[in-house]
């Protein structure tokens, strides 16, 4: 899966002082360090979010989903980390058009590309700052 409007999202995050990290390009030790030192984590739903178990107390996570697909997996994990604040943002786009979306399986939906609602991410980050 990819983030369709990744450049726009990265501009927002860069303007707020975020550092872009691709956990798939890091060693396990580097992933643990990245999640353990981050104050806010913004990431698409995926296996890399299992690293939330290494997040520091008081950190926050904003999980990004394709439209119409919310899975509680990492919310459950986040709720087990002391003081970790969890939020999610659902995509603007999602799997196909509305007419064929109902014909897609849950598994097909979750691997769909994500068009991030950048304004919703900005609002969520502002809420977390407050």
């Amino acid at each position: 899966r990819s983030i369709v409007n990744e450049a726009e999202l990265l501009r927002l995050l860069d303007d707020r002082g975020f550092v872009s990290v691709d956990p798939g390009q890091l060693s396990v030790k580097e992933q643990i360090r990245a999640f353990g030192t981050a104050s806010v984590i913004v990431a698409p739903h995926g296996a890399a979010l299992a690293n939330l178990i290494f997040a520091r107390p008081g950190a926050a996570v904003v999980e990004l989903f394709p439209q119409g697909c919310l899975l509680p997996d990492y919310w459950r994990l986040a709720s087990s980390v002391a003081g970790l604040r969890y939020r999610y943002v659902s995509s603007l786009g999602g799997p196909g058009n509305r007419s064929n979306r109902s014909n897609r399986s849950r598994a097909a939906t979750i691997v769909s590309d994500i068009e991030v609602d950048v304004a919703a991410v900005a609002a969520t980050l502002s809420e977390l700052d407050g």
Side-chain angles (χ1 to χ4, degrees), residues 65-70 90-96 98 101 109 113-114:
F65 286 102
Q67 184 180 29
C69 184
L70 301 175
S90 188
S91 174
L92 288 172
R98 291 189 184 278
R101 212 175 283 144
T109 300
D113 290 343
I114 300 170

Side-chain angles (χ1 to χ4, degrees), residues 41-60:
I41 299 158
V42 178
H45 176 82
L49 285 175
N51 287 304
L52 288 176
I53 63 170
F54 303 112
R56 65 184 186 174

